[in-house]
Amino acid sequence: MECLFCRIVAGEIPATIVRETDNTLAFRDIGPKAPVHVLVIPKEHYADVATLAQGDPALAGEVLATAAAVAEDEGLLGDGFRLMFNTGAYGGQEVYHVHAHLLGGAPLGPMLARDLG
Ligand code: 5GP
Ligand code: ZN
């Protein structure tokens, strides 16, 4: 199996799992960019959020629901958080198994490092 996150789902690579449902998994990012940085994925392999949303919108909804549950568990609902799907080359995606980045625990700054507008 080539895909890193499929290997995490299979238990072949260790991860700090914070929530698991029948169809989704949430685990801490190995290189956290904020006090809370959790990745939320569908267990089934989809390359990116567009492929997931077009192929199985209900599963995309489950990923969002799991992200919201983790946000609540981590105490992020009051102060807020950011939920992000880096997609493709311009989006800076590095792992091609769709994942939502759940970021919070501190003010996260501007949406982009530079204003490209
Ligand atoms: P992307 O750039 O594809 O949106 O994000 C990939 C994320 O996966 C990065 O934030 C990176 O730190 C994280 N990551 C890469 N390899 C591993 C790993 O083996 N375990 C965990 N938990 N996170 C990983
Ligand atoms: Zn995969």
Side-chain angles (χ1 to χ4, degrees):
M1 202 188 296
E2 298 284 318
C3 172
L4 179 64
F5 289 173
C6 282
R7 295 186 69 188
I8 286 177
V9 171
E12 293 173 11
I13 293 176
T16 304
I17 292 167
V18 297
R19 180 170 282 263
E20 180 168 12
T21 68
D22 286 349
N23 300 317
T24 70
L25 193 67
F27 52 95
R28 297 201 189 279
D29 195 291
I30 204 170
K33 302 285 195 295
V36 175
H37 188 172
V38 171
L39 303 176
V40 185
I41 67 171
K43 290 181 177 175
E44 190 178 343
H45 182 92
Y46 285 89
D48 60 35
V49 69
T51 313
L52 170 63
Q54 292 174 346
D56 192 341
L59 182 56
E62 289 185 48
V63 169
L64 292 185
T66 296
V70 174
E72 183 169 30
D73 289 347
E74 299 284 329
L76 304 181
L77 295 187
D79 288 330
F81 58 90
R82 193 168 289 162
L83 194 61
M84 226 171 58
F85 291 89
N86 294 329
T87 305
Y90 277 15
Q93 187 174 1
E94 290 173 357
V95 178
Y96 278 80
H97 181 132
V98 57
H99 49 281
H101 293 263
L102 173 66
L103 296 155
L108 296 168
M111 186 163 62
L112 297 176
R114 285 182 296 128
D115 186 347
L116 304 172

